[in-house]
């Protein structure tokens, strides 16, 4: 039996899947497109809902997965299957013979500049959730001087105009988390969140929402932001409807944070073609039995894990990664 | 001034830049529960006066947040302080105390 496994993508899903496979006695190859492991987790500062350090979390995942063989700045060029063995050719021409393949190539953050009406890349005061995480991480102080701050939910999500009808799931709680963190750094700031629905589904999320209101005095306004403009002083003027009182509303702000959503990885089509699997209408990779199994594809021996099949939180991603390892093990022990 | 036979209607747009924060902070101090409202509408649904008059605590809270104080005060004048909303509120807000203090801070008469 071939006990070698190929994992495509070295983000949290790929790393945790490798951890489980290694402890089950498999040899694991991880092919990672970028120069470093960790995927999006490397970009975040503190994790919702409890504020755990993202870098310490990543460190723990890496400690265990260092027995895997990593190929950085590498992609899979082609895959052939013969006699139940997959032969993968990498972009550096390495050939790997493996018994099973796990796809863990994750998501891509919605490019906020596509929503031109919000002014990302046009006005200095408009940033994204990822930019704010980076500022928290690097202590970029100029952002935290802002005394009037807005958070815009659902940027590039729930929006057919940008071909993302789906909800990205993590951005409501990320907005609330970041709003609270902002208030910790600048207690004088007036902070507003503009939402359509607040999706605080996970354990501890609703508590965070209550804390945001009660302790930090963050104002939640139900209404989608329609447009942002700059006034003569260089401040941002934002328009939305307060749908709870049915009135158009305006507010002047110093900083606006756009909650860019979880979009499909643009490589998905190519990956699907290479492996003989499908993508769904939303562009994420298809599962053949989505109610029963979060890893199984229509091709035997090919499994999916993490946010490559849709928006997921980190704990969900890690659980799926462990499940994928078990699915591989079951498949190879058949 | 010349009359041209038309006039500008006053804007009904909410302008958050003009909200009186010091009054709001006074209200928050008198009833900290104000900040916890999640606009669920349970209070307005159960309100004894709401079927007959234009009273909705849910909307009054939004009006205060938006700086439309007089709309809130006019509306809450119809409240009978029966306390049904206090029993129903899922966030455990002392709504009677809240209503009294909205009228105290923003209304002309003390109650
Ligand atoms: C703004 C924001 C904040 C978040 N904060 C939190 C939080 O506080 N708590 C929480 O639980 N979750 C949070 N999440 C969710 C969390 O980031 C994801 O659950 C997690 O990153 C998913 O891991 P993944 O491995 O599936 O994907 P990714 O993190 O996207 O990793 C995928 C990896 O695959 C690589 N890759 C991509 N394409 C290829 C290819 N073709 N070939 C080879 N390699 C490839 C990438 O370079 C990357 O390393 C947040 C998400 C967002 C958008
Ligand atoms: S999680 Fe919230 S902000 Fe993100 S897409 Fe869903 S509703 Fe919008
Ligand atoms: S106290 Fe006032 S607002 Fe509350 S239910 Fe009674 S009448 Fe309605
Ligand atoms: S019942 Fe409580 S939480 Fe719900 S709208 Fe009324 S005051 Fe707000």
């Amino acid at each position: 039996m071939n006990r070698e496994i190929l994992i495509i993508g070295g983000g949290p899903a790929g790393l945790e899947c490798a951890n489980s496979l290694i402890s089950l006695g498999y040899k694991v190859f991880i092919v990672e497109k970028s120069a470093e492991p960790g995927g999006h987790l490397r970009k975040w500062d503190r994790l919702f809902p409890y504020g755990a350090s993202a870098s310490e979390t990543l460190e723990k995942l890496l400690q265990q997965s260092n027995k895997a063989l990593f190929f950085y700045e590498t992609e899979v060029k082609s895959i052939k299957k013969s006699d139940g063995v997959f032969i993968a050719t990498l972009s550096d021409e390495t050939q790997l013979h493996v018994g099973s393949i796990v796809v863990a190539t994750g998501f891509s953050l919605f490019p906020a500049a596509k929503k031109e009406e919000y002014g990302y890349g046009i006005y200095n005061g408009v940033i994204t959730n990822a930019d704010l995480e980076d500022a928290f991480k690097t202590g970029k102080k100029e952002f935290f001087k802002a005394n009037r701050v807005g958070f815009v939910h659902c940027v590039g999500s729930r929006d057919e105009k940008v071909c993302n009808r789906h909800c990205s799931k993590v951005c409501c709680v990320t907005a609330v988390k970041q709003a609270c963190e902002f208030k910790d750094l600048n207690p004088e700031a007036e902070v507003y969140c503009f939402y359509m629905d607040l999706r605080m589904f996970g354990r501890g999320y609703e508590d965070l929402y209550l804390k945001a209101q009660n302790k930090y005095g963050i104002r939640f306004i139900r209404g989608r932001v329609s447009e942002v403009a700059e006034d003569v002083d260089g401040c941002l003027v934002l328009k939305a409807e307060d749908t709870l009182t049915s009135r158009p509303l305006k507010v002047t702000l110093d900083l606006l944070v756009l909650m860019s959503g979880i979009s499909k990885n643009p490589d998905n089509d190519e990956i699907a073609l290479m492996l003989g699997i499908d993508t769904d209408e939303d562009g994420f990779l298809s599962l053949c039995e989505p109610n029963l199994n979060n890893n199984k594809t229509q091709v035997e021996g090919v499994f999916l894990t993490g946010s490559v099949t849709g928006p997921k939180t980190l704990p969900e991603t890690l659980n799926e990664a462990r499940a994928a390892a078990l699915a591989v093990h079951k498949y190879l022990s058949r | 001034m010349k009359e041209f036979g038309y006039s500008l209607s006053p804007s009904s747009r909410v302008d958050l830049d003009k909200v009186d924060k010091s009054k709001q902070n006074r209200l928050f101090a008198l009833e900290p529960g104000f900040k916890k409202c999640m606009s669920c509408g349970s209070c307005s649904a159960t309100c004894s006066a709401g079927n007959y008059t234009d009273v909705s605590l849910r909307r009054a809270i939004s009006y205060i947040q938006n700086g439309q104080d007089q709309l809130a005060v006019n509306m809450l004048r119809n409240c009978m302080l029966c306390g049904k909303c206090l029993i129903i509120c899922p966030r455990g807000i002392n709504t009677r105390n809240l209503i009294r203090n909205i009228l105290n801070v923003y209304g002309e008469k003390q109650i």
Side-chain angles (χ1 to χ4, degrees):
Chain A
M1 183 184 82
N2 185 321
R3 294 188 65 85
E4 306 196 339
I5 318 293
L6 167 62
I7 297 177
I8 313 177
L15 294 175
E16 184 61 9
C17 185
N19 291 338
S20 299
L21 284 168
I22 289 165
S23 54
L24 288 167
Y26 291 92
K27 175 155 192 203
V28 178
F29 303 106
I30 299 180
V31 174
E32 167 56 52
K33 192 178 180 175
S34 72
E36 288 172 313
H40 285 91
L41 182 56
R42 188 172 282 281
K43 300 188 176 152
W44 313 147
D45 180 44
R46 299 203 156 269
L47 301 176
F48 62 72
Y50 304 117
S53 151
S55 54
E56 280 169 27
T57 306
L58 177 57
E59 214 38 61
K60 282 184 194 156
L61 290 175
L62 284 170
Q63 261 168 26
Q64 298 161 34
S65 59
N66 62 12
K67 284 202 198 107
L69 188 62
F70 285 86
F71 295 85
Y72 291 116
E73 296 180 301
T74 308
E75 285 177 66
V76 179
K77 252 176 40 184
S78 69
I79 289 171
K80 275 188 299 191
K81 195 178 185 184
S82 82
D83 280 341
V85 173
F86 295 94
I87 303 161
T89 310
L90 311 187
S91 49
D92 65 0
E93 302 304 330
T94 309
Q95 276 208 341
L96 300 172
H97 294 241
V98 295
S100 177
I101 296 177
V102 180
V103 184
T105 44
F107 66 97
S108 76
L109 197 70
F110 176 77
K114 271 197 188 174
K115 294 291 293 174
E116 226 172 292
E117 59 269 43
Y118 295 157
Y120 185 68
I122 303 172
Y123 308 129
N124 288 333
V126 182
I127 64 172
T128 64
N129 40 10
D131 298 333
L132 189 58
E133 283 300 309
D134 187 64
F136 287 143
K137 230 174 142 98
T138 56
K140 210 181 271 168
K141 292 210 179 64
E142 79 252 23
F143 285 158
F144 309 121
K145 290 192 193 123
N147 279 327
R148 298 166 298 178
V149 186
F151 287 82
V152 185
H153 290 225
C154 304
V155 176
S157 307
R158 307 176 72 192
D159 186 345
E160 302 208 12
K161 289 268 171 66
V162 296
C163 304
N164 281 339
R165 198 188 305 140
H166 67 273
C167 159
S168 291
K169 192 177 189 175
V170 299
C171 17
C172 271
V173 59
T174 298
V176 175
K177 181 207 74 151
Q178 292 189 335
C180 294
E181 287 175 298
F182 196 97
K183 282 289 276 188
D184 275 332
L185 292 166
N186 181 357
E188 297 304 308
E190 290 288 336
V191 179
Y192 307 91
C193 285
F194 293 88
Y195 71 97
M196 294 196 283
D197 301 281
L198 272 182
R199 300 193 161 165
M200 310 304 280
F201 56 91
R203 186 178 185 185
Y205 296 10
E206 189 70 20
D207 297 335
L208 198 62
Y209 169 39
L210 182 58
K211 193 161 138 192
Q213 291 182 297
N214 207 19
K215 175 171 172 199
Y216 292 104
I218 289 155
R219 168 84 201 279
F220 289 85
I221 298 167
R222 197 186 75 185
R224 194 175 181 108
V225 173
S226 70
E227 62 189 284
V228 180
E230 213 172 45
D231 67 10
V232 283
D233 306 317
C235 299
L236 302 164
V237 181
L238 172 148
K239 285 187 194 170
E241 188 197 5
D242 174 22
T243 59
L244 290 170
T245 57
S246 306
R247 282 281 169 278
L249 171 151
K250 104 170 222 248
V251 63
T252 310
L253 302 170
D254 308 309
L255 186 72
L256 189 67
V257 188
L258 307 180
M259 289 297 126
S260 278
I262 289 189
S263 295
K264 61 160 193 193
N265 180 339
D267 297 346
N268 282 0
D269 287 335
E270 220 175 295
I271 292 169
L273 196 68
M274 191 164 65
L275 288 163
I277 58 178
D278 286 329
T279 56
D280 282 347
E281 202 191 329
D282 58 11
F284 291 94
L285 294 182
S286 308
L287 293 160
C288 65
E289 290 176 317
N291 289 316
L292 271 177
N293 193 307
N294 262 349
N295 306 108
K296 204 169 149 189
T297 68
Q298 68 259 44
V299 177
E300 283 215 341
V302 174
F303 300 93
L304 310 176
T305 184
S307 56
V308 75
T309 60
K312 309 246 156 77
T313 66
L314 188 64
E316 288 167 342
T317 299
L318 299 179
N319 272 341
E320 265 187 21
R322 292 172 205 125
L326 206 55
V328 167
H329 181 60
K330 267 166 93 179
Y331 166 71
L332 290 177
S333 318
R334 73 201 182 279
Chain B
M1 215 177 93
K2 260 210 159 82
E3 282 290 340
F4 289 104
Y6 54 83
S7 62
L8 272 177
S9 16
S11 170
S12 66
R13 180 168 76 171
V14 173
D15 187 346
L16 292 183
D17 302 343
K18 300 210 174 114
V19 176
D20 184 341
K21 291 278 154 48
S22 63
K23 269 194 174 176
Q24 262 189 12
N25 288 336
R26 238 167 76 209
L27 178 62
F28 293 169
L30 290 163
E31 181 42 61
F34 180 94
K35 294 189 285 188
K36 296 203 296 185
C37 173
M38 56 177 175
S39 299
C40 69
S42 307
C43 49
S44 312
T46 200
C47 178
S48 332
N51 285 340
Y52 306 101
T53 65
D54 183 33
V55 51
S56 155
L57 178 56
R58 199 255 315 144
R59 233 170 340 129
I61 291 173
S62 296
Y63 285 149
I64 298 284
Q65 287 172 326
N66 288 349
Q68 296 164 302
D69 318 336
Q70 281 321 300
L71 288 176
V73 168
N74 292 343
M75 182 178 258
L76 292 177
R77 285 227 172 82
N78 297 318
C79 160
M80 312 177 293
L81 289 175
C82 70
K84 275 182 82 182
C85 50
L86 188 149
I87 296 168
I88 204 84
C89 175
R91 276 276 165 97
I93 301 169
N94 185 344
T95 53
R96 280 181 91 243
N97 189 49
L98 175 59
I99 294 164
R100 282 187 48 237
N101 281 305
I102 290 175
L103 293 170
N104 281 341
V105 172
Y106 294 97
E108 315 85 73
K109 272 201 296 229
Q110 307 284 303
I111 61 163

